[in-house]
Amino acid sequence: MKIKVFEDQMTRAIKRLVGIEIIIDTVEEARRGLGLILERTETAKREDFKGLKEIRITQKVEHPTTAVEHKLAYIIEFVLEDDSYLPMEIALIQELQRIFGQPAP
């Protein structure tokens, strides 16, 4: 499954959870930022989290109103060992969506 996270959502989550302000411009920076967030999730502490084989991140530039204005979005895809880990994936996505949806302090 995939989720879409905007750069500002990720930076706010990192500020809130880790206490640092960072700028995310690349897929590698998004991967490192997501790692900081995942370390603090309850789902990552579950035994079945080991079934998460890979996390793929791609960058997408969106133009919500004009060709000049743009927002960076990251498409995060979770790849599982097999479908038996689907409940963990759902729990992780729900937790991340709560984290990314919270406003900054």
Side-chain angles (χ1 to χ4, degrees):
M1 290 187 206
K2 299 176 186 178
I3 62 172
K4 177 169 68 172
V5 178
F6 288 99
E7 179 270 338
D8 61 326
Q9 292 175 302
M10 192 175 291
T11 56
R12 279 195 314 266
I14 292 167
K15 170 111 170 113
R16 189 175 56 256
L17 296 172
V18 184
I20 59 173
E21 275 189 55
I22 63 170
I23 297 171
I24 299 173
D25 287 328
T26 66
V27 169
E28 184 54 36
E29 290 170 347
R31 184 178 326 286
R32 292 172 63 200
L34 183 61
L36 291 171
I37 293 167
L38 286 175
E39 289 174 355
R40 288 153 177 83
T41 63
E42 290 301 314
T43 308
K45 298 172 186 164
R46 293 171 39 164
E47 180 63 29
D48 58 353
F49 187 72
K50 68 177 189 251
L52 183 61
K53 184 170 92 173
E54 179 183 359
I55 298 174
R56 296 179 188 147
I57 301 177
T58 56
Q59 188 179 65
K60 181 178 180 184
V61 178
E62 294 190 355
H63 302 279
T65 56
T66 67
V68 176
E69 182 185 341
H70 70 277
K71 291 180 79 172
L72 286 180
Y74 294 94
I75 307 303
I76 302 170
E77 180 180 3
F78 303 98
V79 180
L80 303 176
E81 288 288 334
D82 60 60
D83 286 343
S84 68
Y85 295 101
L86 190 58
M88 177 277 304
E89 181 182 27
I90 298 297
L92 179 60
I93 288 171
Q94 290 172 331
E95 188 173 5
L96 287 174
Q97 286 178 335
R98 280 191 301 274
I99 289 170
F100 292 131
Q102 293 177 356

